[in-house]
Structure formats: C-alpha cells, structure tokens
Amino acid sequence: MTRPSLVIFDCDGVLVDSETVSNRVLADNLARHGLRLSLADTMATFIGRSMVGVRDTALDMGAELPGDWIDLIYAETYAALRAGVEVIAGIPALLDRLDATGIPYCVASNGSAEKMDITLGQTGLAPRFDGRRWSAHELGVAKPDPGLFFHAAAAEGVAPPGCVVVEDSASGAEAAHRAGMRCLGYVPEGHPDRLSAWGATVIRRMDAVAAHIGLGPDQSV
C-alpha cells in the first residue's frame, strides 16, 4: 500500500474525546429551548456539523433559539471542555510513528481555533500541530464542503490524491470523498454506515491506522 504524503486529522472525536462532552452540553441547552433529544440522538444528528448548521437544523426541528444562541452555546461548551477531555487512545503512538517515518500531518476541523486551543492545549497535543491547524471558522468553509481539506493539502504542498483523512463524521467523510482523498472512518462503536456510504474505510481503533497507510501493524500493541 502506498504511503500517503499527508495525513489530515479531524479534531473532535478523532484526536480528543470531546464529542460526548460537547453534545451533552448541546442536548441540555436545546432542551431548555423546547427541543428534547437524547444524547445519542443529539450526537447522531449534529456531530460533524458547523455550529451554524446545528442552529439551522435545531430551528427546523422546533427549537426556539435566541439571536445570540451561537455565542451562548460556545460559551457553555468551552466551559465544559475546560473541565477536562482525554486524548483518543492510540493517537500519541500514531503521531510518533508518523514523525519517525517523516509523514507530515495536520488537523482540519469545523471547530473554532479557540476550541482547539482548549482541547489540544490541555492534552499536550497542541505543539505537535503548531502551524498545522486549520479551522473552518477562520477559512470560511466547513465540511462537507471539501475546501477545508483542499486548503490543508495546499498548505503542505500535497496533491489531494496523496492525502489520507481520518474522520469520525459523515460530513467529514463526504468532504474527503468530494476532495478525492482517501478516508479512514473512525467508528469505535456503533454502526459505521453513515461514513462507509461515502467510501470511508472503517476502523474501530486508532492503532489500525498504521496498517492502512502502509506502515504495517502498530508494534506497540
């Protein structure tokens, strides 16, 4: 298998285990605004969307949201994330292997730079992505639009077919498909259909990535 020239990681749910925290805050917030969803339904409905997309979908579903709702939900979410998140199991070892083999990597997220400062900062991952973090908020283009991935690839001087994307959301898998990039869909549990429908190769553990990018099995396992 040909090794990629660049690995592009999503942030939430791929590098850091922040999706449960963020979506619990979202579910509680929406319940206060007339839309009651379980945590599982909230995650299934909103993971991978920009906050503008979350707002618009919630409104369509019957939520009554104030005009400054996006600012308010960000404040609530960031406060919860500052209380602590964990690194996704297997990520430090994977990054070590990429460093050792000279394969560059970056992060491209629909989340804000401030959110990445919080999550990557407190987990010690921030220095590993210094100068290689791309936010939809700053670039003005969000997944499933492929523009975020095109920007990340261009910044590293890599053509799209030379990239592998590691994603956990359908919108990210769709963006990778539209960008002409191979996608590894991280689905640690549950049904992977929403990612595999966009051509993603499903993985259940991060230590499986190495074998899928031509590095062989993770020797630390």
Side-chain angles (χ1 to χ4, degrees):
M1 182 178 294
T2 302
R3 294 183 180 184
S5 298
L6 176 67
V7 177
I8 303 175
F9 292 94
D10 180 41
C11 187
D12 298 301
V14 171
L15 296 175
V16 291
D17 189 11
S18 52
E19 292 287 19
T20 300
V21 174
S22 298
N23 280 275
R24 186 175 292 115
V25 170
L26 178 60
D28 290 345
N29 179 284
L30 292 177
R32 298 197 303 270
H33 292 97
L35 178 61
R36 296 187 178 277
L37 298 171
S38 68
L39 176 60
D41 287 342
T42 302
M43 295 180 74
T45 303
F46 297 114
I47 279 182
R49 293 175 180 262
S50 67
M51 198 56 74
V52 171
V54 170
R55 178 200 62 195
D56 292 347
T57 299
L59 288 170
D60 288 343
M61 295 174 71
E64 298 180 359
L65 305 179
D68 60 348
W69 180 81
I70 288 181
D71 291 337
L72 295 173
I73 191 62
Y74 273 134
E76 289 183 33
T77 301
Y78 294 168
L81 292 174
R82 287 189 180 96
V85 296
E86 300 292 330
V87 177
I88 294 292
I91 282 295
L94 174 57
L95 298 183
D96 286 344
R97 292 201 71 186
L98 294 175
D99 286 337
T101 52
I103 297 175
Y105 51 86
C106 64
V107 56
S109 173
N110 272 359
S112 68
E114 182 180 359
K115 186 178 184 182
M116 286 190 278
D117 285 342
I118 296 168
T119 58
L120 298 181
Q122 68 178 256
T123 55
L125 292 179
R128 308 192 75 152
F129 291 92
D130 187 30
R132 294 178 293 176
R133 296 189 305 171
W134 309 110
S135 165
H137 288 226
E138 297 177 335
L139 297 176
V141 60
K143 310 166 198 175
D145 189 297
L148 188 60
F149 289 153
F150 284 144
H151 181 92
E156 295 290 339
V158 177
C163 301
V164 167
V165 172
V166 185
E167 269 286 352
D168 71 328
S169 72
S171 63
E174 180 182 350
H177 174 79
R178 293 170 63 187
M181 299 177 179
R182 188 155 59 98
C183 182
L184 300 179
Y186 177 60
V187 187
E189 57 186 26
H191 299 291
D193 299 0
R194 294 174 68 240
L195 279 78
S196 60
W198 288 105
T201 299
V202 174
I203 58 172
R204 296 293 190 178
R205 294 160 51 109
M206 279 300 168
D207 56 39
V209 171
H212 284 285
I213 61 173
L215 299 183
D218 190 336
Q219 301 301 314
S220 67
V221 177

